[in-house]
Amino acid sequence: MSYPKRTAALASAAALAGSAVLMAAPAARAAVVNVNYQCKTPIGDKSAVSPIDIKGVKSGSGYRMTMSWQKGVSSSPVDLGKGAMNPSATIKLGGADSGTMSVTGPANQAVVPANTPIKINDLTGTYTPKKSGKVTFTAGVLTIKALGTTTTCTPTNSPGASLTLDVTAASGSSSGGTRSDSGSDSGDALPQTGPADSAIALGTLGGTALLTGAAGTLWLTRRNQAARVRR
């Protein structure tokens, strides 16, 4: 093969490889984002910055979302015993979707010492797409309930999205699962033959027998009357 032809072949192969890479581009983009939380606590305002990671795994017609904190936020002036703290949070939706979704998690499994940053366990929730397209997931409000009190931590630095997913909304129907009122389905065009129809059929037959019996009785009565007159 001549040099020009070899060069052209290599260029074509490179172009095809580049196209394959573009076609194989992932449908998700994730980034760990620093979130500056301002927390309203029972003992006053506190602030903390924590890197937030959000992941989404396909699950049925939706996604199982996991929100993770890499650093603790807020603190308590007293020890929090095992199971004393219950966290929850919201995730803001953007792009093709809007609104928020909720994520929750288990209570603390170990004692949280006083005056130390509270480590939040991973929080999870289910997201079901309402629209198809690229949807962004951004850290929202964190709520911590402990010892009868509530601490609310709100992002104040307008954090960017921790995750972008290319999602497809569930249509709510499938090609083989819909029913038509036009009667095109031969199974729908046939009359039902269940117990209800059997009862109706038996009732109709019973009614016919009853009417026939009454007519026969009336005919016999009139015949007897006619016979008496002739006598």
Side-chain angles (χ1 to χ4, degrees):
M1 182 183 293
S2 64
Y3 180 77
K5 290 183 178 180
R6 184 181 305 159
T7 302
L10 290 174
S12 298
L16 289 174
S19 299
V21 170
L22 289 175
M23 292 177 64
R29 181 175 60 82
V32 177
V33 176
N34 287 328
V35 178
N36 186 355
Y37 283 106
Q38 294 294 324
C39 300
K40 299 289 185 181
T41 80
I43 58 172
D45 295 349
K46 293 182 177 292
S47 63
V49 176
S50 177
I52 300 296
D53 180 28
I54 299 176
K55 292 184 174 64
V57 178
K58 193 77 172 67
S59 176
S61 60
Y63 293 81
R64 181 169 178 78
M65 310 302 298
T66 302
M67 187 175 186
S68 303
W69 280 257
Q70 295 188 2
K71 289 185 179 180
V73 298
S74 190
S75 61
S76 170
V78 297
D79 290 353
L80 296 178
K82 181 179 179 180
M85 181 195 69
N86 291 279
S88 62
T90 61
I91 297 176
K92 294 166 55 177
L93 308 176
D97 209 343
S98 60
T100 61
M101 64 164 291
S102 299
V103 286
T104 59
N108 58 306
Q109 300 175 351
V111 175
V112 178
N115 301 314
T116 61
I118 297 175
K119 177 67 172 70
I120 305 298
N121 292 326
D122 288 355
L123 305 183
T124 60
T126 300
Y127 167 68
T128 302
K130 297 187 292 290
K131 296 181 180 180
S132 299
K134 293 186 182 300
V135 177
T136 60
F137 300 82
T138 305
V141 176
L142 167 66
T143 301
I144 302 172
K145 294 186 177 183
L147 303 179
T149 66
T150 300
T151 294
T152 303
C153 299
T154 304
T156 59
N157 61 332
S158 299
S162 295
L163 177 68
T164 300
L165 286 178
D166 194 352
V167 304
T168 301
S171 62
S173 63
S174 60
S175 59
T178 57
R179 294 175 63 88
S180 172
D181 293 332
S182 63
S184 58
D185 187 339
S186 60
D188 291 341
L190 295 175
Q192 295 182 354
T193 57
D197 292 308
S198 299
I200 293 173
L202 289 173
T204 302
L205 289 174
T208 302
L210 178 63
L211 290 174
T212 302
T217 301
L218 181 60
W219 179 79
L220 289 174
T221 301
R222 288 182 177 177
R223 180 181 177 185
N224 291 336
Q225 290 176 348
R228 293 194 200 97
V229 170
R230 285 197 298 271
R231 290 175 185 171

